[in-house]
Amino acid sequence: MAPTLPDRQEHRFPCDQCGADFRFSPEKGMLVCDHCGNTAPMVDHPKAPAIAELDFNAALNQRLPEAETEVIRVLNCPNCGAQVEFDDVTHSKECPFCATPVVTDTGTHRHIKPRGLLPFGLDEKGAREAMNKWLGSLWFAPNGLQEYARKGRKMQGVYVPYWTYDADTNTRYTGARGTVYYETHRVMVNGKAETRTVQKVRWTPVSGRVARWFDDVLVLASKSLPQKYTDALEPWDLSALEPYSPEFLAGFRAEGYTVALDEGFETARIKMSRVIERDVKFDIGGDRQQISNMDTQVSNVTFKHVLLPVWVAAYKYRGKTFRFVVNGRTGRVQGERPYSAWKIALAVIAGLIVVAGVGYFIAINQ
């Protein structure tokens, strides 16, 4: 019989003055009680020189130490598939990613513990200001949605799960190096001799080997948000990762990963291959490069489960859900771009008026 895994410690920290819950304040970098205004410093954890990596193959073979795994209770959204961690007293909520009403179950999930996180550096007010500025720059967005967003409910601060992968790679390749040269020809054009210069490429077969060590290849471990939005929130300053501490999660939600470790590594390999291809072309040299074959050996693969801060807003407007995400460190915004039919119609009409005016001006001056 497998040993029972310990539940993750709740991310609730009672105020020592009034008993209400503290929350982590990105602005002050400490725990703050919104009820009485009391503050408390973060627990002084020993600062590790670096966040240790875990062995990839050991994790795939379920040979990780018991201390690296945990059992958590999550909400499963039936619409977007998000798994958001909830405490034992929560029984119903809206999904922070798509605003779908859901009822939490009482099931638990065994997960690999997060090793590190980037603390929120932007509070909810700052995130809302960034989102409103972004919405205001979208001329074709409906005014009603902009007003609804400005007056709407609070944004949700969510720690989104990511995998990072390290690996040694050694690639043997075959291909060809192209050298550009020019030939001059004399041709007859309308009875006159002209000189024409023609560009050509001389190809030389080549082969070789390139090696690269990859550090912290970042892969989204969630399927609740479109990847194009989360990719657009990059870059993340992973050098500022803090060792995981539950105090940072006080007042925020944490999403459980839904992309398995091996599935995430497939995405990481694609990212690695793009970099290796550039390395190979640089190694081939010349003016042009052709790659016939690349055979890459990957070794010493390690990984981390990390949490990155995202402010999320999901608004239902006229029967449709619009989702916006804000980088909780930089304030960069991405989201589903709504369009206003009447604004587009006005723009088309204005364009036609301008074209007609230009045509009229040309006609009367001819």
Side-chain angles (χ1 to χ4, degrees):
M1 181 176 178
T4 301
L5 296 175
D7 291 343
R8 178 187 292 181
Q9 179 181 353
E10 284 194 42
H11 309 137
R12 302 178 67 186
F13 299 87
C15 172
D16 55 0
Q17 288 190 1
C18 69
D21 286 339
F22 276 122
R23 66 172 177 83
F24 172 71
S25 170
E27 181 182 8
K28 297 181 179 180
M30 60 175 57
L31 298 175
V32 175
C33 177
D34 292 327
H35 183 70
C36 70
N38 185 30
T39 61
M42 301 289 289
V43 175
D44 188 17
H45 293 283
K47 183 71 173 181
I51 300 174
E53 305 280 334
L54 297 175
D55 184 84
F56 178 72
N57 290 322
L60 292 187
N61 296 321
Q62 299 183 351
R63 289 188 286 104
L64 283 180
E66 183 177 325
E68 300 297 341
T69 60
E70 64 184 348
V71 172
I72 61 174
R73 178 173 176 260
V74 296
L75 169 155
N76 293 283
C77 178
N79 183 39
C80 70
Q83 290 190 355
V84 183
E85 184 178 342
F86 279 80
D87 55 57
D88 292 335
V89 299
T90 302
H91 298 290
S92 64
K93 273 286 183 181
E94 279 188 347
C95 175
F97 294 98
C98 66
T100 299
V102 291
V103 177
T104 64
D105 59 24
T106 56
T108 56
H109 295 255
R110 178 178 178 172
H111 278 204
I112 298 171
K113 285 183 179 179
R115 272 272 173 158
L117 58 74
L118 274 180
F120 274 87
L122 192 69
D123 62 14
E124 195 266 344
K125 180 182 177 182
R128 182 174 294 280
E129 289 175 354
M131 187 187 69
N132 288 338
K133 183 179 180 181
W134 182 79
L135 277 172
S137 69
L138 304 179
W139 196 84
F140 289 115
N143 290 335
L145 176 62
Q146 296 179 12
E147 289 300 318
Y148 182 81
R150 290 188 179 100
K151 299 177 181 178
R153 57 198 174 92
K154 283 189 173 183
M155 300 180 72
Q156 291 280 331
V158 181
Y159 280 99
V160 177
Y162 282 78
W163 300 114
T164 74
Y165 299 92
D166 294 2
D168 284 317
T169 63
N170 197 305
T171 303
R172 294 186 179 275
Y173 69 86
T174 57
R177 178 188 303 114
T179 303
V180 174
Y181 67 98
Y182 298 89
E183 290 184 349
T184 302
H185 302 276
R186 300 280 292 179
V187 296
M188 299 298 294
V189 180
N190 297 325
K192 295 182 179 180
E194 294 186 2
T195 301
R196 296 284 175 87
T197 301
V198 180
Q199 184 188 84
K200 293 190 174 183
V201 180
R202 182 181 296 109
W203 292 100
T204 304
V206 296
S207 62
R209 187 181 70 177
V210 297
R212 176 178 281 271
W213 176 66
F214 287 92
D215 180 36
D216 284 346
V217 179
L218 190 65
V219 175
L220 177 67
S222 166
K223 297 180 180 178
S224 57
L225 289 171
Q227 188 172 347
K228 62 180 180 180
Y229 297 157
T230 51
D231 285 351
L233 294 181
E234 296 181 12
W236 295 95
D237 182 15
L238 297 183
S239 64
L241 280 171
E242 295 277 356
Y244 175 81
S245 175
E247 288 89 347
F248 287 116
L249 273 66
F252 298 98
R253 296 293 181 191
E255 185 186 7
Y257 60 82
T258 51
V259 174
L261 181 64
D262 54 347
E263 183 183 355
F265 187 62
E266 292 176 6
T267 302
R269 282 295 306 270
I270 294 173
K271 290 187 173 184
M272 293 177 189
S273 293
R274 293 172 185 156
V275 177
I276 293 171
E277 184 175 334
R278 292 199 295 268
D279 289 349
V280 168
K281 288 183 176 181
F282 182 81
D283 198 61
I284 290 175
D287 302 310
R288 308 280 175 83
Q289 302 84 32
Q290 291 181 347
I291 301 175
S292 303
N293 181 63
M294 292 195 314
D295 181 18
T296 300
Q297 302 297 318
V298 182
S299 60
N300 302 322
V301 182
T302 58
F303 75 96
K304 294 190 301 291
H305 172 205
V306 298
L307 303 175
L308 302 185
V310 176
W311 286 101
V312 180
Y315 297 109
K316 284 190 178 293
Y317 178 74
R318 294 186 177 178
K320 294 184 179 180
T321 298
F322 297 95
R323 295 177 295 178
F324 309 98
V325 291
V326 182
N327 184 313
R329 301 278 292 188
T330 66
R332 180 174 293 187
V333 184
Q334 290 295 316
E336 292 168 305
R337 182 188 176 102
Y339 291 92
S340 168
W342 70 267
K343 284 187 177 182
I344 295 174
L346 282 178
V348 172
I349 293 172
L352 292 174
I353 292 173
V354 171
V355 171
V358 172
Y360 176 75
F361 178 79
I362 294 174
I364 63 175
N365 284 278
Q366 285 182 342

